Amino acid sequence: MSTVITPRPGLIALPPEPHQAIVDEFGLEGGFVGPGEQDSPWVPFGESAAIRHLSFDVRSGAVANILWVKGGGRIGTHRHRGAVSAITLEGSWGYYEYDWVATPGSFVYETPGTAHTLYSDDPNGMKAMFWINGAIEFFDDAGQLTDTFDVFWFINHYVSHCRANGLPINQSLFV
């Protein structure tokens, strides 16, 4: 038996979904993360940055977050093992290795295998939303691998902060 959805005023009535029973049994619902820190707090990330985690997908190894580099600063040199895209929300930032500077509304797409060093010299800092697929490898100033961040690193970053500060873990971040 298919379900007919009665639309609210202004919404389009769609035809019945032929596989509604399967969607209901096996499909996953989307999520919503509000703008406040009660849904996802800012978690310190080094000395001059913080991350607001938005989603963790252990099936695909993808994460979404907002990176905030406060009052100018740098995120170490890193290499991506999957595609990454970002949209700048506030301030400005770039990579030392490239000649562009991202400002609000700028879209950045990074391909697997690329390496760069993020910086912001904006006195107000920057915020950008990142969609990260796969791992990120971080290197020291001598080019030696120091860390690998994957979906489980990001989950641990979030969960450890919440537990250490008595904050609830928002299960809707896990998709």
Side-chain angles (χ1 to χ4, degrees):
M1 180 168 125
S2 60
T3 304
V4 176
I5 299 172
T6 305
R8 291 184 281 171
L11 295 180
I12 296 171
L14 298 177
E17 164 60 52
H19 305 288
Q20 189 63 51
I22 295 297
V23 171
D24 291 344
E25 185 175 357
F26 298 105
L28 299 174
E29 289 189 27
F32 173 80
V33 179
E37 287 195 58
Q38 69 277 4
D39 283 359
S40 177
W42 288 103
V43 182
F45 184 62
E47 295 178 21
S48 63
I51 294 174
R52 185 165 183 255
H53 298 283
L54 301 175
S55 72
F56 309 106
D57 185 345
V58 298
R59 294 162 302 159
S60 68
V63 300
N65 61 46
I66 299 173
L67 174 66
W68 176 16
V69 177
K70 304 172 186 180
R74 170 186 145 165
I75 302 296
T77 302
H78 57 279
R79 178 171 44 218
H80 295 285
R81 290 301 181 191
V84 175
S85 54
I87 188 158
T88 305
L89 305 172
E90 297 177 11
S92 62
W93 64 281
Y95 293 122
Y96 289 128
E97 295 80 4
Y98 307 126
D99 62 359
W100 51 261
V101 174
T103 56
S106 297
F107 179 75
V108 176
Y109 185 79
E110 305 167 17
T111 56
T114 58
H116 35 245
T117 310
L118 188 149
Y119 75 92
S120 174
D121 54 13
D122 189 315
N124 298 313
M126 63 74 81
K127 288 182 182 169
M129 181 176 175
F130 285 86
W131 292 269
I132 303 167
N133 295 282
I136 305 172
E137 299 170 329
F138 280 86
F139 299 87
D140 64 17
D141 290 339
Q144 298 299 309
L145 179 66
T146 58
D147 285 300
T148 300
F149 294 3
D150 62 8
V151 66
F152 297 106
W153 184 94
F154 285 100
I155 291 170
N156 184 61
H157 186 245
Y158 168 72
V159 169
S160 295
H161 177 79
C162 289
R163 288 179 177 157
N165 291 281
L167 302 172
I169 294 170
N170 185 349
Q171 293 298 320
S172 66
L173 301 182
F174 299 85
V175 297

